[in-house]
């Protein structure tokens, strides 16, 4: 039992067992009993978990997504790098002179401002150093117990600002012409002041799908023409995973951690360049973890 003495049994598990017991065995509960005490102790629940075949171990061997060496990916990456090198004189970008002070390259012709779109999801307690493992039932993705928040940023390579936003005066003019820029309190998507950078209200499984991403970019394109410093410039936008913002169909939290173990999906289907494709996921699990 030494293995069961180290980890603490989750308070959520204690609550679940207590509530289910009181729901199923109402006649066995003394109405005068102390309701603040659980029907089964933490140490007893921990012992049960170990008897069921679970073990407390290091949370290693985390998810790793293949694809960066794929032939088509390598080809596109080279094309992208060469394009950026060929056009570097047209962009604003920071440079470090010999004396160490930061300066900016200011283009003399074909002035182009480069925007970069990126997303980050922040989860409460996303990755713990240790966790419970139950043979082939261990989830592929160890999700935090808390809520998450997803941030979708629009960064700009320009010496006047790093995140795209308008001044109060510029935004007032934009709002006068486009009243729809006024935020709707009923929507989950929220915007930073005078900006197109957005986030989704903290909750479980929040996600920027096609609809929310298009709303964000519509707002961005409207605000862009009101930024005085960007007048008479060309614009290029690098969009993060532009073809993947579809409604989530396959939940990664329901996939098993190890190859050859249980999986609720028999196959995955997607559309690529207008062609529907299908991948037999069960067969894949025997050798690889792919998406």
């Amino acid at each position: 039992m030494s293995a069961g003495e180290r980890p603490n049994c989750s308070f959520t598990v204690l609550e679940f067992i207590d509530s289910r017991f009181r729901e199923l065995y109402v006649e066995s509960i003394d109405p005068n009993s102390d309701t603040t005490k659980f029907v089964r102790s933490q140490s007893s629940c921990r012992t049960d978990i170990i008897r069921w075949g679970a073990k407390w171990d290091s949370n290693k061997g985390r998810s790793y997504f293949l694809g960066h060496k794929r032939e088509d990916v390598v080809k596109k990456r080279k094309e992208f790098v060469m394009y950026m090198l060929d056009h570097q004189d047209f962009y604003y970008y920071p440079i470090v002179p010999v004396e160490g002070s930061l300066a900016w390259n200011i283009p003399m012709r074909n002035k182009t401002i480069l925007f970069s779109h990126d997303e980050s999801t922040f989860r409460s307690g996303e990755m713990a150093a240790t966790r419970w493992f139950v043979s082939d039932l261990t989830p592929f993705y160890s999700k935090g117990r808390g809520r998450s928040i997803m941030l979708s940023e629009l960064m700009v390579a320009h010496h006047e600002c790093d995140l795209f936003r308008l001044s109060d005066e510029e935004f007032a003019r934009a709002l006068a012409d486009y009243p729809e820029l006024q935020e709707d309190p009923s929507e989950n998507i929220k915007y930073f002041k005078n900006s197109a950078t957005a986030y989704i209200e903290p909750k479980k499984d929040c996600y920027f799908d096609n609809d929310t991403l298009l709303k964000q970019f519509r707002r961005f394109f409207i605000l862009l023409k009101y930024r005085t410093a960007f007048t008479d410039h060309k614009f290029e936008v690098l969009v993060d995973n532009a073809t993947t913002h579809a409604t989530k169909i396959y939940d990664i939290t329901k996939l098993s951690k190890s190859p050859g173990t249980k999986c609720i999906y028999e196959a995955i289907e997607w559309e690529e360049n207008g062609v529907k494709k299908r991948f037999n996921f069960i067969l894949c699990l025997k050798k690889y973890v792919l998406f």
Side-chain angles (χ1 to χ4, degrees):
M1 297 305 298
S2 59
E5 294 174 359
R6 296 193 303 272
N8 290 325
C9 184
S10 170
F11 186 73
T12 304
V13 174
L14 297 176
E15 285 185 314
F16 173 77
I17 293 176
D18 186 80
S19 62
R20 289 294 290 166
F21 183 87
R22 295 179 185 277
E23 178 183 338
L24 297 173
Y25 303 101
V26 179
E27 67 283 353
S28 302
I29 302 297
D30 184 356
N32 299 320
S33 63
D34 186 359
T35 57
T36 61
K37 293 183 178 180
F38 294 117
V39 296
R40 193 159 182 79
S41 67
Q42 183 184 59
S43 59
S44 296
C45 289
R46 187 167 59 234
T47 302
D48 291 337
I49 292 175
I50 294 173
R51 286 175 176 172
W52 294 335
K55 65 176 181 178
W56 182 262
D57 204 351
S58 299
N59 186 20
K60 55 187 179 180
R62 297 173 185 169
S63 56
Y64 176 76
F65 296 91
L66 302 176
H68 63 285
K69 292 184 179 180
R70 217 171 58 210
E71 184 178 346
D72 60 322
V73 174
V74 173
K75 180 176 180 292
K76 288 295 183 182
R77 187 188 302 128
K78 289 181 178 179
E79 291 177 358
F80 170 77
V81 172
M82 291 307 301
Y83 178 86
M84 299 299 293
L85 291 175
D86 292 341
H87 294 76
Q88 61 180 326
D89 292 338
F90 305 149
Y91 299 125
Y92 293 84
Y93 59 87
I95 55 177
V96 181
V98 178
E99 59 271 18
S101 60
L102 182 65
W104 281 79
N105 176 69
I106 306 298
M108 302 302 296
R109 59 189 178 88
N110 293 330
K111 295 183 177 181
T112 304
I113 298 178
L114 185 64
F115 294 88
S116 177
H117 165 259
D118 194 19
E119 295 174 345
S120 298
T121 301
F122 302 92
R123 293 184 172 87
S124 303
E126 178 184 359
M127 289 294 184
T130 51
R131 61 187 284 202
W132 285 105
F133 290 85
V134 186
S135 60
D136 61 350
L137 298 177
T138 303
F140 172 73
Y141 187 74
S142 179
K143 197 176 175 188
R145 298 189 185 95
R147 299 185 299 179
S148 63
I149 179 171
M150 191 172 189
L151 179 67
S152 181
E153 294 180 305
L154 281 160
M155 296 165 283
V156 54
H158 195 271
H159 61 281
E160 289 197 6
C161 59
D162 50 2
L163 291 177
F164 175 72
R165 62 172 63 88
L166 302 185
S167 66
D168 290 340
E169 180 182 350
E170 290 170 336
F171 187 79
R173 289 192 287 111
L175 187 60
D177 294 338
Y178 297 91
E180 62 269 24
L181 292 175
Q182 189 71 43
E183 287 192 51
D184 184 353
S186 63
E187 291 189 358
N188 287 331
I189 185 172
K190 306 296 180 183
Y191 295 98
F192 287 87
K193 183 181 179 181
N194 302 349
S195 174
T197 293
Y199 66 94
I200 294 182
E201 284 286 353
K203 62 179 181 178
K204 285 186 177 292
D205 296 326
C206 56
Y207 186 75
F208 273 82
D209 57 15
N210 277 335
D211 290 337
T212 52
L213 192 66
L214 288 173
K215 286 180 182 178
Q216 181 186 17
F217 271 86
R218 288 192 193 99
R219 180 184 178 93
F220 167 62
F221 293 140
I222 290 174
L223 296 179
L224 190 57
K225 64 181 181 180
Y226 291 91
R227 189 70 167 93
T228 305
F230 297 167
T231 304
D232 298 326
H233 282 73
K234 296 179 181 179
F235 306 107
E236 292 182 2
V237 185
L238 304 178
V239 182
D240 175 33
N241 296 332
T243 62
T244 63
H245 291 280
T247 302
K248 185 171 62 175
I249 301 176
Y250 305 101
D251 189 350
I252 192 174
T253 64
K254 295 180 180 179
L255 302 179
S256 298
K257 185 177 180 66
S258 303
T261 54
K262 295 182 178 179
C263 177
I264 66 171
Y265 304 117
E266 294 183 359
I268 57 173
E269 297 178 348
W270 72 97
E271 186 173 314
E272 184 175 324
N273 297 327
V275 179
K276 290 186 176 181
K277 297 188 177 182
R278 176 184 175 88
F279 193 88
N280 292 322
F281 193 77
I282 297 298
L283 297 177
C284 163
L285 277 177
K286 294 180 179 180
K287 293 185 178 181
Y288 305 102
V289 177
L290 298 176
F291 293 89

